[in-house]
Amino acid sequence: MNRRTVLGAAGSLAVGTITVATAVVRSRSDDAFVSAARNGPPADDVVTEQLLPDTVHETPIYTIEAPADGATVMVFGGVHGDEYNGIEVSHEVTEWRPNAGTLVVVPETDRVAVENERREGVDGDLNRHFPIDEEPTTELARGIWDAVERYDPDVVLDLHRSLGIFDLHQRYVGQALFHSADAPAKEIVASLNDVVPWYMPAHRFVAEPSTHPSPLLFKKAAHELGSTAYLFETTSFMLDQEAKNTFTRAATARVLARHGMLEVSMEVER
Ligand SMILES: [Zn+2]
C-alpha cells in the first residue's frame, strides 16, 4: 500500500467512503493475547442460559468457568444490532478458555436489532435505557440488568463500532476505550496500539474516562455495582470488517489479561 494514499485519505476527514485494505492489521491476528485466550486450559464448566426466554428478546448468555478462581468479566456484543465486530467477536469469545475467573458473554444482546441488522431494536437504542439509580426503562433493559446484578461482574466490557474517529471526526467516537475511573485503560490502550499499523496514526486508540452519569449499560454497572467498566469503539472509517474484528478481538483479550484471566502480561508483550 502507498503511504501517501493512506495519509491523504485520513486527511480528507471523509467518513464512510474509503476502505483501506488492511493486510497488516490482519497479520497481527496471531497476537499473543488472543492466542492465550484461545489456547487456555479446558474450562471447568461452560453453561448456556437464555435471557428473557419465550420473548422476542430471548438470547443466550454463555458462562465459562476457568479452572482457577478469578474475576467475573461480562462481555456484551450486539447492544447495537448492526455493529458486527462486537457480535462476531463475542461469538468467538464463547470459545475462549481463560486461565482464571468466570467469563460471561452475551453476543447478541439486542436480539431483535441483530436479526434486523439495525442499530435499534423494538424500543429504540438499547444503550439509552439504563438510567443511573433508576429501574431500566424497557423489558429488554430490565432483563439484561437483572442478569448483570445476578452475575455481579467485577468487569463489564461492551463492544461497539462508530463511523468516524474520536477527536478527528465530529460526533464520532471510534478507536477509543471509554472507561470508569478505576479502569487501567491507559495500559490496555498502550498494548492495543501495538496492533495498529504504523501508517495509520489516526487509528491509534485513546483511553477516555467516562464518568458523567448517562443511561448507558457500562455506566450503570460502574455506578451501581462498582464494576470496572469499559465501552470499546472501533470505527468503520477506512477499516474493513476483518480489521474491525481484529481490533475488537485484541481489545477484549487485553481486558481479560489485565484483569487476571489470561497468562500473558502486558510487560512481556510491550
Ligand atoms: Zn454502538
Side-chain angles (χ1 to χ4, degrees):
M1 189 184 321
N2 181 304
R3 179 165 182 267
R4 185 183 305 275
T5 305
V6 173
L7 295 178
S12 77
L13 303 187
V15 169
T17 53
I18 305 157
T19 300
V20 173
T22 46
V24 173
V25 178
R26 264 194 289 278
S27 77
R28 298 301 303 269
S29 61
D30 58 347
D31 171 2
F33 292 89
V34 173
S35 297
R38 286 175 171 161
N39 302 314
D44 264 5
D45 205 3
V46 181
V47 175
T48 307
E49 66 163 322
Q50 298 298 323
L51 182 81
L52 292 166
D54 305 318
T55 74
V56 292
H57 302 299
E58 178 172 336
T59 193
I61 302 179
Y62 301 85
T63 303
I64 301 151
E65 289 285 354
D69 289 342
T72 295
V73 179
M74 282 189 96
V75 177
F76 292 92
V79 166
H80 292 142
D82 61 351
E83 298 180 1
Y84 305 110
N85 58 302
I87 298 162
E88 292 172 12
V89 168
S90 45
H91 275 295
E92 290 178 26
V93 169
T94 68
E95 307 280 318
W96 284 7
R97 293 295 174 255
N99 297 88
T102 304
L103 180 55
V104 183
V105 191
V106 189
E108 300 184 7
T109 307
D110 191 336
R111 181 67 175 271
V112 173
V114 172
E115 284 177 359
N116 292 336
E117 303 187 339
R118 302 282 298 271
R119 175 184 174 87
E120 300 189 347
V122 286
D123 294 309
D125 184 341
L126 173 60
N127 214 17
R128 300 295 182 272
H129 298 163
F130 298 94
I132 308 286
D133 294 327
E134 291 174 37
E135 194 177 351
T137 56
T138 62
E139 179 192 23
L140 174 57
R142 285 189 289 274
I144 292 162
W145 187 248
D146 283 349
V148 173
E149 285 189 313
R150 195 151 34 87
Y151 287 102
D152 192 19
D154 302 290
V155 178
V156 168
L157 171 62
D158 189 7
L159 301 173
H160 288 259
R161 180 270 302 144
S162 184
L163 300 177
I165 292 180
F166 186 78
D167 260 358
L168 178 64
H169 302 115
Q170 273 190 352
R171 300 186 292 115
Y172 292 114
V173 291
Q175 304 299 91
L177 185 63
F178 298 90
H179 62 88
S180 58
D182 62 331
K186 280 206 174 108
E187 192 186 350
I188 291 167
V189 160
S191 174
L192 182 56
N193 280 331
D194 288 346
V195 184
V196 180
W198 64 268
Y199 55 81
M200 301 183 83
H203 284 74
R204 289 178 68 77
F205 285 87
V206 294
E208 279 295 317
S210 185
T211 51
H212 181 72
S214 58
L216 277 62
L217 173 58
F218 88 116
K219 292 198 179 191
K220 190 172 180 70
H223 282 271
E224 294 184 31
L225 302 180
S227 307
T228 302
Y230 303 90
L231 187 148
F232 172 80
E233 295 270 6
T234 184
T235 184
S236 285
F237 180 64
M238 306 204 318
L239 300 182
D240 63 14
Q241 190 59 50
E242 191 49 43
K244 283 178 273 199
N245 287 3
T246 296
F247 289 140
T248 306
R249 195 182 289 123
T252 304
R254 279 161 177 76
V255 168
L256 300 194
R258 184 57 184 75
H259 291 280
M261 297 190 93
L262 306 179
E263 286 187 356
V264 53
S265 82
M266 299 283 171
E267 282 72 23
V268 169
E269 176 70 1
R270 297 216 66 243

